[in-house]
């Protein structure tokens, strides 16, 4: 669109230049005929023919000069763009055009009207100057404030700024003769006069700077600050657009009426998206709190917290967990009592979409069953994640580290909001003691999954030898005979 527009401008300028050149040629070569025409139409009553012809020439040469200035500006600012990689400010371009055009026009004027005393024209028009000055007071104020803004360059197009007592906040779109144009986060355009902006304090968040934000939250007095700080810091640092160049800072702001007040300070990669990022950070804090058993403080907390605890111990929850576990294929051989015991030992955790449930390389002494949602098993290959499997409700993971004592072999990431049931070493040992066959089916599954983890180049089917090796490793690790 922009390219087509400049093409049209170029064609129009070229056509105008050709027409004006032709007219100039005619004016210079047929001056006698033109004088005749002036007498014929009695225009000589207005001014002498020589002056009228000089006026015509002045207008034509002026148009030519205007075209020349535009072409020159195109060349100069085109080169500027090539060198610097961005457009020169509109204000600078306009000042350039006006100065060059005025100089050229004065030159042409003194050439065409050598008798006119330009100095006297300027000095004797003092009254005119005062009137013009008064009329243009605001405009000139804006203009000079604009020039000083361009010279200082306190902010640039693309930066987020907050201006004045009304605290207009938005992304700078343009700095013109008259005003700074910002686009607010409600997609409104606000124009702030350069002269008012020059008088007001301006808060600038430059685009290429690591700008920080503060998000506030609180906890009950019974929740450990060390735990809350750790949990929130880890949850926030993983959120999108939170810079990984500086670790978020979580600290206590106040010991408030209803609980402990905290602030979380984090730095953004793209500050213009701070509204979305603040919201995501708050969401991550909620999920992290839920998993860690932390509680937000609010005035009616005592009553509500007690009701909530009572609700969590409802037997129907235990029933739902036992039902889920009995549908897991490896637990199918267990008796109702054994499944009940596992359900009792299981701990529920909730994860937001994109959160990591377990990390490759970390030690692990528990396994997980997907209660609701979906997770993806992925490994890092040449610095990029490779998906190994997607696990749905009723599938399990984390058994490799639990049964062999080796570090976690892969990352497991929630694909949507996912609830998992965590079963620890002690509960599994009790199950193994009464169900020795379980170890065998597990060792085969582990050996198959290991094949899936291997790179495409070295895949081969799960061998019985390997599965037997895993079997004895599990027995050794769990102290089974
Ligand atoms: P663990 O090594 O404890 O932690 C990562 C988990 O990813 C691992 O246990 C398995 O439960 C799971 N996993 C690894 N490879 C596969 C696979 N090929 N298919 C399904 N799950 C897997």
């Amino acid at each position: 669109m922009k390219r087509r527009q400049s093409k049209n401008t170029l064609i129009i300028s070229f056509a105008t230049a050709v027409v004006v050149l032709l007219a100039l040629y005619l004016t210079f070569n047929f001056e006698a005929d033109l004088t005749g025409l002036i007498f014929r139409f009695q225009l000589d009553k207005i001014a002498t023919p020589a002056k009228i012809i000089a006026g015509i020439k002045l207008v034509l040469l002026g148009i030519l000069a205007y075209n020349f200035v535009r072409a020159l500006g195109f060349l100069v600012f085109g080169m500027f763009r090539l060198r610097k990689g961005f457009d020169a400010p509109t204000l600078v371009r306009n000042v350039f055009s006006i100065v060059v055009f005025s100089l050229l026009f004065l030159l042409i004027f003194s050439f065409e009207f050598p008798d006119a005393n330009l100095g006297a024209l300027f000095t004797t028009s003092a009254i005119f100057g005062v009137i013009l000055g008064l009329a243009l007071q605001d405009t000139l104020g804006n203009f000079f404030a604009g020039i000083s803004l361009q010279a200082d360059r306190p902010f640039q197009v693309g930066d987020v700024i907050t201006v004045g007592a009304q605290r207009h906040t938005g992304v700078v779109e343009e700095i013109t003769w008259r005003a700074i144009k910002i686009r607010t986060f409600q997609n409104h355009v606000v124009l702030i006069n350069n002269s008012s902006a020059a008088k007001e304090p301006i808060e600038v968040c430059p685009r290429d700077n690591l700008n920080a934000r503060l998000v506030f939250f609180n906890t009950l007095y019974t929740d450990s600050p060390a735990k809350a700080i750790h949990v929130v810091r880890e949850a926030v640092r993983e959120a999108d657009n939170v810079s990984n160049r500086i670790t978020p800072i979580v600290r206590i702001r106040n010991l408030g009426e209803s609980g402990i007040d905290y602030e979380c300070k984090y730095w953004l990669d793209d500050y213009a998206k701070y509204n979305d990022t603040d919201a995501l950070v708050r969401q991550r804090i909620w999920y992290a709190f839920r998993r860690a058993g932390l509680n937000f403080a609010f005035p009616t907390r005592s009553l509500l917290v007690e009701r909530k605890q009572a609700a969590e111990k409802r037997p129907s929850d235990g029933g739902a967990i036992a039902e889920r576990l009995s549908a897991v294929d490896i637990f199918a051989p267990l008796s109702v009592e054994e499944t009940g015991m596992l359900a009792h030992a299981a701990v529920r955790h909730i994860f937001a979409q994109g959160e990591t449930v377990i990390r490759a390389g970390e030690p692990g002494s528990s396994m997980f069953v997907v209660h609701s949602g979906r997770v993806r098993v992925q490994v890092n290959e040449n610095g990029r994640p490779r998906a190994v499997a997607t696990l749905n409700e009723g599938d399990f993971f984390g058994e490799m580290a639990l049964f062999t004592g080796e570090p976690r072999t892969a990352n497991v990431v929630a694909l949507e909001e996912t609830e998992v049931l965590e079963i620890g070493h002690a509960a599994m040992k009790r199950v193994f003691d009464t169900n020795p066959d379980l170890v065998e089916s597990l060792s085969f599954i582990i050996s198959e999954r290991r094949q899936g983890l291997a790179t495409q180049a070295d895949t081969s089917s799960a061998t019985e030898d390997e599965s037997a090796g895993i079997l004895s490793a599990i027995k050794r690790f769990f102290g089974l005979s």
Side-chain angles (χ1 to χ4, degrees):
M1 186 79 179
K2 209 173 170 188
R3 185 174 280 189
R4 195 194 293 167
Q5 241 177 18
S6 39
K7 204 174 154 192
N8 286 348
T9 323
L10 218 71
I11 293 172
I12 292 172
S13 306
F14 185 71
T16 324
V18 171
V19 172
V20 170
L21 276 173
L22 196 69
L24 269 173
Y25 173 79
L26 293 174
T27 322
F28 275 100
N29 286 287
F30 298 95
E31 230 177 288
D33 300 291
L34 212 57
T35 315
L37 276 177
I38 290 170
F39 282 125
R40 192 148 149 222
F41 291 105
Q42 297 184 350
L43 293 175
D44 55 317
K45 287 180 186 151
I46 305 170
T48 61
K51 277 204 175 135
I52 294 181
I53 292 176
I56 295 173
K57 283 183 188 165
L58 180 71
V59 172
L60 291 174
L61 285 170
I63 298 174
L64 212 58
Y66 174 75
N67 269 11
F68 171 75
V69 170
R70 288 194 72 174
L72 191 67
F74 196 70
L75 207 76
V76 170
F77 295 111
M79 267 164 59
F80 177 91
R81 196 149 97 119
L82 272 182
R83 282 199 155 193
K84 303 264 176 183
F86 61 91
D87 275 330
T90 322
L91 192 60
V92 173
R93 290 205 302 254
N94 291 348
V95 170
F96 172 85
S97 306
I98 288 177
V99 169
V100 177
F101 179 74
S102 306
L103 288 176
L104 273 180
F105 190 80
L106 282 178
L107 206 73
I108 299 167
F109 187 86
S110 50
F111 180 72
E112 287 302 328
F113 297 96
D115 305 336
N117 186 350
L118 278 180
L121 195 72
F122 282 119
T123 45
T124 52
S125 57
I127 297 175
F128 177 70
V130 170
I131 295 169
L132 202 68
L134 283 174
L136 293 180
Q137 204 175 24
D138 284 350
T139 316
L140 288 177
N142 283 330
F143 171 67
F144 286 112
I147 290 187
S148 90
L149 277 178
Q150 298 288 354
D152 275 2
R153 292 180 78 78
F155 53 81
Q156 293 175 34
V157 171
D159 292 351
V160 174
I161 61 168
T162 303
V163 188
Q166 280 150 317
R167 301 198 62 73
H168 292 297
T169 301
V171 182
V172 178
E173 282 203 336
E174 206 180 351
I175 306 165
T176 65
W177 283 100
R178 202 180 72 72
I180 302 163
K181 182 172 162 193
I182 62 173
R183 191 166 291 272
T184 69
F185 294 110
Q186 289 78 42
N187 203 23
H188 302 161
V189 172
V190 178
L191 293 168
I192 300 148
N193 282 341
N194 288 342
S195 54
S196 345
K199 287 179 216 139
E200 302 274 9
I202 305 179
E203 185 183 324
V204 183
C205 303
R207 208 173 20 163
D208 49 3
N209 180 51
L210 265 187
N211 300 297
R213 291 282 299 168
L214 291 175
V215 165
F216 304 109
F217 63 95
N218 60 12
T219 67
L220 289 181
Y221 273 111
T222 43
D223 290 332
S224 138
K227 183 174 173 186
I229 289 171
H230 175 74
V231 163
V232 171
R233 192 173 49 218
E234 291 309 306
V236 171
R237 71 195 298 179
E238 278 200 347
D240 274 358
N241 199 27
V242 171
S243 172
N244 54 15
R245 286 191 272 166
I246 307 182
T247 309
I249 294 172
V250 183
R251 55 192 170 206
I252 296 178
R253 289 173 59 224
N254 188 26
L255 299 175
E257 255 181 54
S258 340
I260 306 178
D261 297 330
Y262 293 86
E263 69 183 16
C264 169
K265 181 175 181 181
Y266 72 91
W267 285 262
L268 294 99
D269 287 327
D270 181 357
Y271 190 73
K273 293 189 187 145
Y274 74 75
N275 277 324
D276 289 342
T277 314
D278 277 3
L280 183 66
V281 162
R282 290 188 193 105
Q283 192 203 66
R284 287 293 164 92
I285 293 176
W286 186 90
Y287 280 105
F289 263 44
R290 189 69 184 263
R291 284 197 300 279
L294 294 166
N295 303 281
F296 292 103
F298 47 93
T300 52
R301 65 193 180 283
S302 310
L303 186 61
L304 287 171
V305 167
E306 281 183 16
R307 277 190 191 157
K308 193 163 152 261
Q309 281 172 349
E312 268 176 3
K313 285 192 180 131
R314 278 203 315 257
S316 61
D317 264 20
I321 294 175
E323 205 176 306
R324 162 66 62 221
L325 293 180
S326 61
V328 177
D329 38 0
I330 51 159
F331 297 138
L334 304 190
S335 68
V336 175
E337 289 74 31
E338 285 167 333
T339 315
M341 182 278 291
L342 270 190
H344 187 72
V347 183
R348 283 166 88 149
H349 299 287
I350 188 160
F351 288 86
Q353 181 191 23
E355 281 197 289
T356 306
V357 185
I358 53 183
R359 276 193 184 76
E362 288 187 352
S365 57
S366 55
M367 62 175 283
F368 300 83
V369 171
V370 181
H371 190 39
S372 65
R374 273 177 329 132
V375 295
R376 172 162 293 156
V377 180
Q378 55 192 36
V379 283
N380 274 337
E381 235 170 59
N382 306 325
R384 274 195 286 171
R386 172 170 71 88
V388 176
T390 301
L391 304 177
N392 301 304
E393 286 177 13
D395 289 336
F396 63 89
F397 60 91
E399 78 294 343
M400 292 188 173
L402 170 65
F403 298 137
T404 61
E406 288 165 11
R408 299 285 191 200
T409 53
N411 293 314
V412 179
V413 179
L415 287 179
E416 57 197 62
E417 188 183 282
T418 299
E419 217 176 336
V420 294
L421 306 174
E422 184 177 14
I423 303 168
H425 182 278
M428 279 314 294
K429 177 152 173 31
R430 260 181 283 160
V431 171
F432 282 154
D433 284 342
T434 45
N435 294 271
D437 291 350
L438 208 63
V439 186
E440 208 160 321
S441 55
L442 265 167
S443 58
F444 195 73
I445 291 172
I446 293 179
S447 127
E448 264 186 343
R449 286 187 166 182
R450 276 196 180 164
Q451 294 297 315
L453 284 175
T455 52
Q456 256 83 11
D458 49 48
T459 37
S460 55
S461 61
T463 63
E464 284 189 12
D465 280 0
E466 194 180 346
S467 155
I470 296 169
L471 178 67
S472 48
I474 298 178
K475 283 186 171 169
R476 244 192 340 268
F477 189 59
F478 273 77
L480 307 169
S481 54

